Amino acid sequence: MEKKIIIAIDGHSSCGKSTMAKDLARRIGYVYVDTGAMYRSVTLYALRHGLFNPDGTVKADLLREQMPEISISFKFNPETGRPDTYLNGELVEKDIRSLEVSNHVSPIAAIPFVRADMVAQQQRMGQEKGIVMDGRDIGTTVFPDAELKIFVTASAEVRAQRRFDELKAKGMPADYEDILRNVQERDYIDSHREVSPLRQAADALVLDNSQMTIAEQNDWLMERFAEKIG
C-alpha cells in the first residue's frame, strides 16, 4: 500500500486554491478540508448573532463565550463530488460565499482564540494523513511537517475577475471594483496579522496561476504529487 501524505495548499484569497485542492483530493482519493469555509462559518455565525460592532470590529468577548456553541462539519455531496459545509447541522455552503461574509472574514480569522480553536480541529482531521487542506497557514502553522506544500498566487486583478465571474455564474450580485478592493484588503490583513500571518513556507513550491487554465494547474499538481510519493 502506498504511503499517505499531507498536502498543504496555501495562498492568497480567490486564487482558486479550494477548487484545485478539491480536484486533487478527488483524483487521488484523499480527504479534502476547506479551512477557509471553517473561518467563513464562524463569520456567518457572528453576523447572524450580532457579534460585529458598527465599525466592523468584532465583539470578541461575546464570540469567545459562544465558541463552544459553534460546530462546523463537512459532508460529502455525491452530486458535486465535493464536501459541503455545515454550521450547527445547517447546510451553509452558499451562505458562507456571500460578499458580506467575505468582507467580514479577515478580522474573525485574525482573532487568536478563533485560530487556536480552528487549528486544533484541523490538526485532529490530519492525524490519519491522506488529506488535502487549503488555507493561509496550513504549511506554516497547522502542518509544518506536511510532505507536500504548495503556495498559490495570482495578481489581484486576475483574482478579482475570477471571483466576479464566479458570483455572476451563481446569479449573485457582483461589482468588480468592490471585489478588487475586498481582495486587496484581505491580502493586507491576512499577511499583516499577528497570529499565523499568510506567508510562504520555506519549503513550499510556488504556483503562480495568473495565466494557467484549471486543467494546467491540475496537471501540475498531479506531477508534484507523483514526485513526492515516488
Side-chain angles (χ1 to χ4, degrees):
M1 193 176 132
E2 69 179 36
K3 63 168 185 173
K4 290 199 163 181
I5 64 171
I6 289 176
I7 301 172
I9 300 182
D10 290 306
H12 296 95
S13 71
S14 303
C15 57
K17 293 186 305 296
S18 301
T19 304
M20 67 176 76
K22 286 171 187 167
D23 289 345
L24 177 64
R26 192 168 58 217
R27 282 174 80 172
I28 63 180
Y30 274 27
V31 174
Y32 165 70
V33 178
D34 180 350
T35 64
M38 296 171 73
Y39 290 103
R40 284 173 172 273
S41 297
V42 176
T43 305
L44 181 65
Y45 178 95
L47 284 165
R48 287 177 172 180
H49 290 81
L51 301 181
F52 283 95
N53 294 305
D55 66 354
T57 54
V58 184
K59 297 175 183 175
D61 292 343
L62 284 173
L63 179 59
R64 187 197 296 268
E65 283 171 22
Q66 293 179 42
M67 281 305 287
E69 294 161 37
I70 302 176
S71 166
I72 300 157
S73 55
F74 295 97
K75 287 181 197 161
F76 189 74
N77 180 336
E79 279 181 26
T80 59
R82 292 175 174 170
D84 284 334
T85 312
Y86 287 76
L87 171 61
N88 294 335
E90 176 199 348
L91 174 62
V92 292
E93 189 60 41
K94 195 172 177 197
D95 303 310
I96 61 173
R97 309 292 169 191
S98 71
L99 192 59
E100 188 188 18
V101 169
S102 295
N103 281 330
H104 288 84
V105 66
S106 287
I108 289 278
I111 298 172
F113 67 78
V114 173
R115 293 207 78 82
D117 190 286
M118 298 293 117
V119 168
Q121 286 190 43
Q122 291 153 14
Q123 287 171 334
R124 284 198 294 276
M125 293 173 185
Q127 278 167 353
E128 307 291 307
K129 300 227 176 182
I131 197 164
V132 180
M133 205 175 273
D134 78 279
R136 302 283 192 280
D137 64 341
I138 313 305
T140 51
T141 302
V142 185
F143 296 119
D145 298 327
E147 291 88 347
L148 178 56
K149 299 179 187 178
I150 311 287
F151 190 86
V152 192
T153 185
S155 75
E157 290 73 19
V158 165
R159 289 183 283 134
Q161 186 64 48
R162 286 178 187 163
R163 181 122 186 100
F164 175 80
D165 294 341
E166 189 184 311
L167 288 169
K168 278 297 209 204
K170 288 180 180 169
M172 293 167 86
D175 176 286
Y176 174 79
E177 294 302 329
D178 282 351
I179 295 168
L180 179 60
R181 208 161 27 245
N182 172 251
V183 164
Q184 291 166 334
E185 280 170 7
R186 287 179 67 191
D187 283 355
Y188 185 84
I189 297 174
D190 290 343
S191 48
H192 288 79
R193 62 169 179 240
E194 283 179 34
V195 183
S196 300
L198 170 66
R199 62 182 174 82
Q200 182 192 325
D203 53 347
L205 305 171
V206 178
L207 170 61
D208 184 331
N209 66 12
S210 298
Q211 307 300 324
M212 291 172 88
T213 64
I214 287 177
E216 287 167 344
Q217 293 174 59
N218 290 346
D219 290 345
W220 186 90
L221 279 170
M222 280 303 289
E223 285 165 20
R224 303 292 85 76
F225 171 70
E227 285 164 10
K228 274 295 169 195
I229 59 167

